[in-house]
Amino acid sequence: MESGLVASHRIRLPYVAAPAHLLRRRGVAVSVATPALRLPRHLPTPTPLRLPRHVPTPTALPLRPCLPPLRAASSASASAPEPAASSGKFLGVETRTLKKIVPLGLMFFCILFNYTVLRDTKDVLVVTAKGSSAEIIPFLKTWVNLPMAIGFMLLYTKLADVLSKEALFYTVIFPFIAFFGAFGYLLYPMRDAIHPTALADRLLAALGPSFLGPVAILRVWSFCLFYVMAELWGSVVISVLFWGFANQITTVEEAKEFYPLFGLGANVALIFSGRTVKYFSNMRQNLGPGVDGWAISLKGMMSIVVLLGFVIAGIYWGVNKFVIDKSAAPIVKRKKKEKPKLSMGESLKVLVSSRYVRDLATLVVAYGISINLVEVTWKSKLKAQYPSPNEYSSFMGDFSTATGIATFTMMLLGRVILRKFGWGVAATITPAVLLLTGVGFFSLILFGGPLTPLMTQFGMTPLLAAVYVGAMQNIFSKSAKYSLFDPCKEMAYIPLEEDMKVKGKAAIDVVCNPLGKSGGALIQQFMILSFGSLANSTPYLGGILLVIVLAWLGAVRSLDSQFSPLAKQELEREKMKAKAVETTARVVGSGNGSLQETLASESSANGAAIKQSQEPESTTPEKSGQQSQ
């Protein structure tokens, strides 16, 4: 079809040949002499257009760069790399995610398995050692464990600036593995040669029995070193190495979905490790007389710790080698939230200024002190009931298994309790459990004599009953902490204003957490040095525990009276926001509907116009063909 000025005036422009060098660029074989265009005979010869003399003769325009042919373009697009297809799914989870989560879960299981074995073993070593007792624990936590933890973290920060992440992981975990292996096969068998027993006896005679705990640190220094390394395994390998690696390779969506399962898996590891400790502790029954059964049990448990330590390192290497694609992984720079670094004075001002924050701080401090007051006293009675290391370790294995089962159950019930009974009831359960079991535990210790005839009817002594009640107190208090206390504490921050929320949490982290952890140990040290022994200070520790737990319950009641109205206001604000978003969505939806109707009507009108414009085009060639005939 002809159009424009040329069609109206039947103008035929002369053929102008393109330069040969331009056609070569297009990859076309051309000859210099190009034949002229010949028309059929029945058509008249077109007369050339004669332009006025003052108009210059048009020159040939340069050609555009050649576009690739259609067939070549299609082949090029077919050969281009396609984006990676989404990985398949297994049990509703992408296989790419499972390749990360399954090794992380196995790694977490091995780390916590080792931690439970080490935690039970460290108590057996320092409590049942000759010339030592449970009185060593408060001094050991304050004057040995805390300084070494601070020194280790300073060294870790220096190494983090020099080494890569993988090298840093291996540099930290391999010394732990080497130490625990060396302790089981070298340090413990050589304990009589490396412990300064004579020097410790002279110091104790000069200082008096009140200093049994500090002198015992020197007497059994290798056991104390094991105690500190076991504590550092929990704080360094779990908190720093594992969670740092998990946060590095998982996304936020994966973390929300699978991190709670890690918490449940931790309790499963607790159950299995407790059974393992129980098995190795009972090996003494199958050995002959004169054989150090605890040394053999220790070698077996440390062998498992070393083996699982290499498994942890192997999983870490395999995930970095085969799962993480470092070349394709995008580098995401996450902005760190600016947390206010409050000094001690500023933290105290924040605590004093707000009643809400004061009550929340009381919860944190009271829990830390209460746990330490009961736990050390309970371990002293546990040694009196089970003086042998194997018997003590066997009981601790049962204790770890029971703790894992109770915590697993409470974590499942915690959501139900919070949802059905509310924040106040959930927050009251932990101090109530501590109060009831604490009163029963100290009553059996202080008033065990009159209760002896009653206990014998059940086949128990007051000491054994106190050990069982103390075990129940530790089991239920720890399970309630993980399932109820920690969630309630974090929920209490939600209704606060943003400024007070940030400053209050910072103040509690600076003042209350260290005070709660070390407060119990400091109180026990003062009591032991003042009254001569832990047994003499037991009545006073029971009275202090009663006062602290009652203050805790009062703080819970006060905080609940403030939290509930604030939570209702927060809920109303969330409902208002949801209504506003819903209203906006409706307005936008109605606007989009009218717009879609307008676009549909316009498209139908355009379609009719196109059909009308296509009809003459289809008939024009036919008419021109009939005229030519």
Side-chain angles (χ1 to χ4, degrees):
M1 175 183 175
E2 298 174 351
S3 62
L5 182 62
V6 177
S8 59
H9 295 281
R10 297 290 180 178
I11 298 176
R12 296 291 184 268
L13 294 178
Y15 177 80
V16 181
H21 67 279
L22 293 177
L23 293 177
R24 288 193 189 99
R25 292 182 183 177
R26 302 177 61 180
V28 181
V30 297
S31 59
V32 178
T34 305
L37 179 64
R38 296 187 178 183
L39 299 176
R41 294 180 179 180
H42 63 275
L43 293 179
T45 303
T47 56
L49 177 65
R50 299 184 182 274
L51 299 175
R53 294 182 179 180
H54 63 275
V55 178
T57 305
T59 57
L61 298 176
L63 300 177
R64 291 183 179 180
C66 175
L67 296 175
L70 183 60
R71 190 172 298 174
S74 61
S75 62
S77 62
S79 61
E82 296 181 357
S86 59
S87 58
K89 290 187 177 183
F90 180 75
L91 298 177
V93 183
E94 292 186 1
T95 55
R96 179 180 56 187
T97 301
L98 288 177
K99 288 179 181 179
K100 294 185 293 184
I101 297 302
V102 172
L104 283 177
L106 182 60
M107 189 177 178
F108 194 50
F109 179 89
C110 295
I111 291 174
L112 287 171
F113 188 99
N114 279 359
Y115 178 60
T116 305
V117 173
L118 296 172
R119 184 183 60 187
D120 294 344
T121 306
K122 70 179 176 60
D123 290 334
V124 175
L125 288 171
V126 299
V127 173
T128 63
K130 187 178 180 180
S132 180
S133 67
E135 297 176 5
I136 192 178
I137 295 178
F139 298 94
L140 188 57
K141 284 184 175 181
T142 305
W143 306 110
V144 181
N145 189 23
L146 182 60
M148 287 194 66
I150 294 174
F152 189 92
M153 294 313 298
L154 292 176
L155 178 62
Y156 180 85
T157 54
K158 294 293 183 183
L159 292 175
D161 296 334
V162 178
L163 302 176
S164 63
K165 291 182 179 179
E166 294 185 31
L168 181 63
F169 186 93
Y170 300 131
T171 304
V172 171
I173 198 171
F174 281 138
F176 281 98
I177 299 173
F179 172 79
F180 294 129
F183 184 86
Y185 288 89
L186 294 177
L187 292 180
Y188 186 80
M190 298 171 58
R191 61 190 182 280
D192 294 333
I194 61 178
H195 287 169
T197 306
L199 176 61
D201 291 337
R202 291 195 298 269
L203 286 175
L204 185 61
L207 297 175
S210 300
F211 289 86
L212 175 65
V215 172
I217 296 176
L218 176 64
R219 183 190 299 273
V220 290
W221 65 267
S222 65
F223 297 173
C224 296
L225 184 59
F226 184 94
Y227 187 99
V228 173
M229 292 295 286
E231 288 285 339
L232 288 178
W233 178 275
S235 58
V236 174
V237 178
I238 296 177
S239 302
V240 178
L241 295 186
F242 173 77
W243 286 116
F245 180 58
N247 295 334
Q248 174 189 349
I249 67 173
T250 56
T251 63
V252 176
E253 291 75 13
E254 293 170 346
K256 290 180 180 178
E257 185 175 358
F258 293 101
Y259 277 12
L261 298 180
F262 288 167
L264 296 176
N267 297 291
V268 176
L270 202 63
I271 296 171
F272 281 94
S273 58
R275 293 295 88 198
T276 303
V277 172
K278 176 81 171 180
Y279 171 78
F280 282 101
S281 300
N282 291 336
M283 290 179 63
R284 179 69 184 86
Q285 301 174 359
N286 301 324
L287 301 175
V291 179
D292 190 353
W294 176 240
I296 296 177
S297 301
L298 189 63
K299 286 182 180 179
M301 289 187 288
M302 291 304 102
S303 299
I304 292 180
V305 169
V306 171
L307 177 62
L308 292 183
F310 284 114
V311 170
I312 294 165
I315 293 173
Y316 181 83
W317 175 83
V319 172
N320 281 281
K321 182 73 174 178
F322 302 106
V323 177
I324 302 176
D325 187 5
K326 299 179 181 178
S327 60
I331 300 176
V332 180
K333 295 183 179 180
R334 300 177 180 175
K335 295 182 179 180
K336 296 182 179 180
K337 297 182 179 179
E338 297 181 359
K339 296 183 179 180
K341 297 181 179 180
L342 303 181
S343 62
M344 185 66 69
E346 293 173 342
S347 301
L348 292 175
K349 288 181 181 179
V350 173
L351 294 175
V352 172
S353 62
S354 173
R355 176 191 166 196
Y356 192 96
V357 178
R358 284 199 309 270
D359 292 336
L360 189 56
T362 304
L363 267 64
V364 177
V365 175
Y367 177 83
I369 295 177
S370 302
I371 287 295
N372 282 284
L373 289 180
V374 179
E375 187 175 12
V376 176
T377 307
W378 171 65
K379 288 178 180 178
S380 67
K381 300 304 175 183
L382 186 59
K383 180 187 177 181
Q385 179 66 34
Y386 302 107
S388 169
N390 286 89
E391 294 176 350
Y392 192 108
S393 179
S394 177
F395 183 86
M396 291 303 296
D398 292 333
F399 171 78
S400 297
T401 301
T403 303
I405 295 173
T407 307
F408 188 90
T409 306
M410 287 295 294
M411 289 183 72
L412 296 178
L413 295 177
R415 296 177 61 186
V416 179
I417 294 173
L418 277 168
R419 187 180 304 170
K420 188 173 182 179
F421 299 101
W423 188 92
V425 174
T428 307
I429 290 178
T430 306
V433 169
L434 271 168
L435 179 62
L436 294 176
T437 55
V439 169
F441 174 72
F442 282 100
S443 298
L444 288 170
I445 295 175
L446 299 176
F447 312 106
L451 296 176
T452 302
L454 179 62
M455 293 293 104
T456 53
Q457 295 180 1
F458 296 96
M460 292 190 299
T461 62
L463 178 60
L464 182 60
V467 168
Y468 286 158
V469 173
M472 290 174 58
Q473 186 272 337
N474 279 274
I475 290 170
F476 287 111
S477 62
K478 289 182 179 179
S479 60
K481 177 186 183 297
Y482 297 129
S483 59
L484 295 174
F485 179 79
D486 288 343
C488 289
K489 181 189 68 175
E490 297 302 326
M491 285 173 62
Y493 290 108
I494 296 175
L496 290 175
E497 296 180 358
E498 193 64 29
D499 183 61
M500 183 56 68
K501 183 187 301 183
V502 176
K503 290 184 178 180
K505 189 170 180 60
I508 291 175
D509 291 340
V510 171
V511 178
C512 301
N513 279 335
L515 183 60
K517 292 178 181 178
S518 60
L522 293 174
I523 291 174
Q524 288 170 341
Q525 293 176 44
F526 175 77
M527 291 292 178
I528 291 171
L529 296 177
S530 300
F531 297 99
S533 66
L534 186 62
N536 295 335
S537 59
T538 299
Y540 305 97
L541 293 175
I544 293 173
L545 176 66
L546 179 62
V547 172
I548 290 176
V549 175
L550 290 177
W552 185 355
L553 289 169
V556 169
R557 184 176 180 181
S558 174
L559 191 60
D560 185 31
S561 64
Q562 304 171 72
F563 173 80
S564 298
L566 291 176
K568 290 180 181 178
Q569 295 176 6
E570 183 73 15
L571 183 60
E572 290 177 358
R573 284 197 295 266
E574 292 295 331
K575 289 182 178 179
M576 293 295 292
K577 289 181 182 178
K579 288 182 179 179
V581 172
E582 185 179 355
T583 305
T584 305
R586 288 178 181 177
V587 172
V588 173
S590 60
N592 288 340
S594 60
L595 180 61
Q596 290 174 359
E597 292 175 359
T598 306
L599 291 176
S601 60
E602 289 182 357
S603 61
S604 60
N606 291 336
I610 291 172
K611 288 182 180 179
Q612 292 177 1
S613 62
Q614 286 177 350
E615 289 178 357
E617 290 181 1
S618 59
T619 55
T620 301
E622 297 176 0
K623 292 180 180 180
S624 60
Q626 291 175 358
Q627 290 177 358
S628 61
Q629 291 176 356

